[in-house]
Amino acid sequence: MTFVPAQASAQLNGTITVSLLVENATDLASTPMQVRFDPKILRLNDVVRGNLLASDGQQVAFSKNVLNDTGEATVNVSRFPTTGGVTGSGSIVTLVFQAIGHGDTVITVPQLVLRNSQSQPIVTASPQLNVSVK
């Protein structure tokens, strides 16, 4: 899993849009995650579902809970149990931040669990993104 772009910068009050991508997934069925950011520097305005889990035309469940006061968001994108998983590469979510303070910070995904259609975990590293607000 990676963030695209690999690093980001913005002016104060500017927008930072980043996507969380999975490469070469096999039988991917769900992606529960927690995103953390510095609420003194960034505000998460929106989380948009990506295209990978619905790439074969199947419906997916999508939920998000953004807590800007604490700098956390929980997000889950999952396929319905009868549809199996997907194989391939693509976007899981796109995060739209607003720069509300000056400084350098890091967006992390400390609790990321990719699961296959059997609900077994798929091993992956948790990505992070360096952000600079000028």
Side-chain angles (χ1 to χ4, degrees):
M1 296 219 35
T2 58
F3 277 112
V4 174
Q7 58 184 8
S9 63
Q11 298 295 321
L12 189 62
N13 295 318
T15 300
I16 299 169
T17 302
V18 296
S19 292
L20 194 54
L21 303 182
V22 173
E23 295 181 15
N24 302 316
T26 301
D27 191 31
L28 180 62
S30 68
T31 60
M33 69 184 79
Q34 179 185 57
V35 178
R36 286 198 180 149
F37 54 95
D38 185 340
K40 294 178 184 138
I41 297 176
L42 298 172
R43 175 177 183 77
L44 182 54
N45 287 341
D46 200 7
V47 180
V48 180
R49 179 182 60 83
N51 61 359
L52 180 59
L53 288 179
S55 61
D56 61 354
Q58 294 293 326
Q59 294 289 323
V60 296
F62 174 67
S63 64
K64 60 185 175 183
N65 182 21
V66 177
L67 303 171
N68 276 308
D69 291 343
T70 59
E72 295 179 346
T74 53
V75 180
N76 187 31
V77 184
S78 59
R79 292 170 63 87
F80 293 103
T82 58
T83 62
V86 295
T87 297
S89 302
S91 171
I92 298 299
V93 293
T94 297
L95 307 169
V96 182
F97 290 93
Q98 182 175 2
I100 60 170
H102 294 283
D104 294 329
T105 188
V106 178
I107 299 169
T108 61
V109 188
Q111 295 178 19
L112 171 66
V113 183
L114 303 182
R115 295 197 178 275
N116 66 18
S117 62
Q118 306 303 310
S119 209
Q120 299 169 325
I122 299 170
V123 177
T124 187
S126 292
Q128 64 179 35
L129 175 71
N130 294 318
V131 178
S132 177
V133 178
K134 301 178 187 211

